[in-house]
Amino acid sequence: MGFMNPELPPVDAGSFRTLPRGERLPILTRHWVEHGYGTPYAVYLLYVVKCLFYVSGAAFVISLSPGIGSVLHPSSWWSEPIVYQKLIVFTLLYEVIGLGCGSGPLTSRFNPPIGAILYWLRPGTIRLPPWPDRVPLTRGDRRTGVDVLLHAAVLVSGGWLLSRPGDGTAIPGSGDVGVLDPLAAVPLLVFLAVLGLRDKTVFLAARGEQYWLSLLLFFFPYADMLIGFKLVMLALWWGAATSKLNHHFPYVVATMMSNAPLVPSGRTKRLFYRDYPRDLRPSRLPFLLAHVGTVTEYAVPLYLVFFGDGGFWTWAALIYMAAFHLHILSTVPMGVPLEWNLFFIFSLFYLFGAHGDVSVLDLQSPWLLVVILPGLLFVPVLGNLRPDLVSFLPAMRYYAGNWATSAWVFTGDALERLESGITAACRLPHHQLESLYDQGTAELMVQKVQSWRSMHTHGRAHNGLIDRVTEGQDDFVVVDGELIAGFAIGWNFGEGHLHNDQLLRAVQARCDFAPGEVRVICLEGQPIHRQTQDYEVHDAALGLLERGHVSVSDMLARQPWPTDGPHYPVHGVESFGPLRPTAGDLPRTDTRGIAS
């Protein structure tokens, strides 16, 4: 691996592209084991600089608050109550601009390195309303001037809130800067909520389940507000831990460690697999690390929230938990939730260190629980039982390998027509890479994304379903739904509900594909109480073609390359049309009444 050049499989790109997909994936996935994505060191340096920008930018903006003090002396003001409030607002804006999660090369965003506001401030781009048939004035999939104004209002109201001084209330143990006037948060709360009803992508990108919810806590007295912040953090840790109670997470650990820049390539990375190169299922080591991570996210926050007293063991727990998040950050996972982990580290020392004397057992206002428990309890429970109804982000089912995913199958020149038919701020990833590297390198780098997907359990199911859909077909290209979402809507962060049949319908309205030209395989996440995952196959022109479910045990038994051909085991199949429709098939309305 070089400073600017990626580490790629030692193959000739020209001949490699002619190989069947079933022969390419073993080469790509075995290369992933030892080298991960093969990211150039310059990319890691970029993310280091970006993290420094987040930290220094937040410190500078917060230091401008009257009465805070110089940015050069943060030790004198970092524990002020208003500091955490403003960090929440700053981080929300940072994410909604597109600088945080889902930015840069490790999300296949090369040139430009962000999407987000480049799309959300541009009329004509695609928007995805969460409940268009239930919420008035949200139908349609085209961003209008109203949407642009709403997004601008979010940015302006957030910036205005950051500029506000404290109320001058003297708080025991702190200075007399006080806290923000809660009424100043109303515009940001309202504008982001309304915008989220028009476009769920923006609300998810703003990490509304955490930062928007935290804005509501500004309305409570100082001590109860801090207790609310602690309960939000506890819910995030426990939600993440609960999401890891599955068979998928060890596969995530192995895949992530193969991509970790601080883990030596070669023999060390092979230790995470059973029998490289023959068996690329996780060895016992990822299972051990997975269990340690789950116990950590349950036990340490429990101690800090309910039993921490500011003494030795509290600080030992703080340092251990900070090291836990630093480890996650050091692996530079795909999707790069780096600033998010930095926020967690600061929250540890701020909430449970500097303000460890404020106990959640001293809560005075029961209304605080009324405000936050629906978001911290009901929504995650529903999301674990019915993952098809709730995004994995508000469901707090974080990086545990159990998300909704999709694979888009293109034939002929459909992929190029997709690019020309959509209003976007960038080109497809392989064209972005061609502006940086030669065509062969660009192709191999894009195909490494398929190897990343295949290393997870759901990727192994996708490989079987792709063969089922394309039986005997040789003129097709598979593109991961994440790449389609990044190009079409400007943001992608593992949320398969952003590149499912809803996006397909928006694309079809613009590109008018013929039957068989574009099909999308949507694989839903696993409900916590079942060992199956639902799937659907959609055609751009014809709508729903097939649905059924696959067994998690079948995913666990397979390698990260297709081995069953078109006979991958599926169950409960309902067929509504041929999986390989031809131009002779006529558009129809699918079984749910969606005009195709």
Side-chain angles (χ1 to χ4, degrees), residues 139-348:
R139 290 196 177 199
D141 54 37
R142 189 175 300 274
R143 184 163 280 104
T144 67
V146 171
D147 300 294
V148 172
L149 289 175
L150 279 172
H151 193 85
V154 167
L155 300 178
V156 171
S157 60
W160 181 74
L161 183 55
L162 275 178
S163 72
R164 305 307 298 159
D167 60 7
T169 304
I171 297 174
S174 301
D176 57 1
V177 177
V179 295
L180 289 170
D181 178 358
L183 293 179
V186 171
L188 179 57
L189 278 164
V190 172
F191 286 132
L192 184 55
V194 174
L195 180 59
L197 292 173
R198 294 276 299 174
D199 189 357
K200 62 186 177 184
T201 311
V202 182
F203 191 81
L204 294 175
R207 304 308 298 268
E209 82 282 359
Q210 179 178 354
Y211 303 127
W212 186 85
L213 181 62
S214 294
L215 292 176
L216 295 175
L217 300 176
F218 290 10
F219 290 85
F220 291 89
Y222 159 70
D224 282 357
M225 179 178 66
L226 283 179
I227 291 171
F229 292 151
K230 291 183 179 186
L231 291 176
V232 169
M233 294 302 298
L234 177 67
L236 294 171
W237 277 310
W238 279 7
T242 302
S243 74
K244 294 176 174 61
L245 300 178
N246 59 47
H247 295 291
H248 310 283
F249 188 49
Y251 289 75
V252 173
V253 172
T255 304
M256 184 172 65
M257 296 307 292
S258 284
N259 196 46
L262 300 183
V263 178
S265 297
R267 180 178 177 81
T268 302
K269 292 186 175 180
R270 294 177 200 163
L271 295 175
F272 292 93
Y273 301 89
R274 293 189 186 183
D275 185 20
Y276 174 87
R278 290 172 290 277
D279 189 347
L280 301 192
R281 290 175 294 175
S283 66
R284 293 182 179 179
L285 180 57
F287 280 85
L288 174 62
L289 294 176
H291 291 318
V292 170
T294 304
V295 171
T296 293
E297 289 183 311
Y298 273 132
V300 180
L302 173 66
Y303 173 79
L304 289 172
V305 172
F306 293 103
F307 305 105
D309 58 4
F312 171 81
W313 290 110
T314 296
W315 283 94
L318 289 174
I319 293 171
Y320 175 81
M321 204 66 191
F324 175 80
H325 282 284
L326 282 173
H327 165 70
I328 297 174
L329 192 149
S330 72
T331 64
V332 198
M334 306 290 277
V336 287
L338 306 181
E339 292 84 358
W340 190 57
N341 279 280
L342 290 174
F343 181 90
F344 270 65
I345 293 171
F346 181 82
S347 297
L348 281 164

Side-chain angles (χ1 to χ4, degrees), residues 366-385:
W367 286 106
L368 184 141
L369 298 179
V370 173
V371 169
I372 66 174
L373 282 185
L376 300 185
L377 185 61
F378 173 74
V379 173
V381 169
L382 178 62
N384 277 281
L385 295 175

Side-chain angles (χ1 to χ4, degrees), residues 381-392:
V381 169
L382 178 62
N384 277 281
L385 295 175
R386 288 290 306 273
D388 58 309
L389 297 180
V390 183
S391 163
F392 85 103

